[in-house]
Amino acid sequence: MPFDLQPVLKSKNLRLRPLRGDDFDDLFAVASDPLIWEQHPASTRYTPAVFKTLFQESMDSGGALIVHDIKTQQAIGSSRFHGYDEEKSEVEIGWTFLARSYWGGQFNAEMKQLMLEHAFQFVNCVVFLVGPQNIRSQRAVEKIGGVGDGSRVDGSGRESIVYKMTAQSFRLLNQSQRVVAQMKNFTK
């Protein structure tokens, strides 16, 4: 079965679907916040011209997803599957950004949970590349179980920290989270 790089994924709070050309205005409304990009290597993505280039690259990638809050139906961000390698059994998840009002809570973890569940139907390893100065994104990847695995140059020629997650570690992490949730319910 071939890897579907642009699935529709749903959870309790989020809906991810393939990015379309008519999503530009809604997504730019999110991306136009300079604080989203302050630690990112491409820190001017909040400007119309730079975001337009990112948006077109996202469209051309064939793996970009727009993220909507199910309750409000508003676009809240985007993420992407990239670099699927059947031989290595690997895919990258990246180019993720969320509106600041969705930072620090469950939303990034919920979005990545959906994307990881989808990816691990097809591959044994997911890779995340994060800029060395992007401490916020490094912590977010670590929070969902990504493990540092050195560094490498990304497709833009920038040095990036490599984080990986295997299907086995993902399953074990989910099992341990379920046990912790059951223990919390038991002690109530």
Side-chain angles (χ1 to χ4, degrees), residues 3 84-91 116 118-127 164-171:
F3 193 120
Y84 170 59
D85 187 328
E86 184 175 10
E87 193 171 296
K88 284 184 173 178
S89 191
E90 179 179 282
V91 72
L116 289 164
H118 177 74
F120 287 131
Q121 295 175 60
F122 305 96
V123 298
N124 290 322
C125 183
V126 170
V127 175
K164 290 187 175 182
M165 182 180 289
T166 64
Q168 180 179 6
S169 65
F170 178 71
R171 284 190 293 274

Side-chain angles (χ1 to χ4, degrees), residues 77-96:
S78 181
S79 195
R80 187 189 309 180
F81 289 111
H82 176 76
Y84 170 59
D85 187 328
E86 184 175 10
E87 193 171 296
K88 284 184 173 178
S89 191
E90 179 179 282
V91 72
E92 180 184 349
I93 293 177
W95 290 267
T96 303

Side-chain angles (χ1 to χ4, degrees), residues 39-82:
Q39 293 183 15
H40 194 276
S43 61
T44 59
R45 285 185 172 168
Y46 64 90
T47 63
V50 176
F51 184 75
K52 185 175 183 178
T53 300
L54 172 65
F55 187 84
Q56 190 58 54
E57 289 170 355
S58 296
M59 291 293 298
D60 294 344
S61 76
L65 303 168
I66 189 167
V67 183
H68 287 97
D69 179 325
I70 285 179
K71 290 178 185 136
T72 67
Q73 300 297 306
Q74 297 292 311
I76 64 165
S78 181
S79 195
R80 187 189 309 180
F81 289 111
H82 176 76

Side-chain angles (χ1 to χ4, degrees), residues 95-144:
W95 290 267
T96 303
F97 67 93
L98 288 172
R100 281 192 301 137
S101 59
Y102 290 84
W103 288 3
Q106 68 202 32
F107 295 97
N108 183 58
E110 195 169 321
M111 173 178 52
K112 293 300 185 346
Q113 179 77 20
L114 288 169
M115 294 180 77
L116 289 164
E117 286 172 356
H118 177 74
F120 287 131
Q121 295 175 60
F122 305 96
V123 298
N124 290 322
C125 183
V126 170
V127 175
F128 304 88
L129 301 180
V130 182
Q133 306 305 316
N134 196 341
I135 304 303
R136 189 171 35 240
S137 291
Q138 291 172 33
R139 297 297 168 257
V141 171
E142 292 166 357
K143 190 175 175 181
I144 63 165

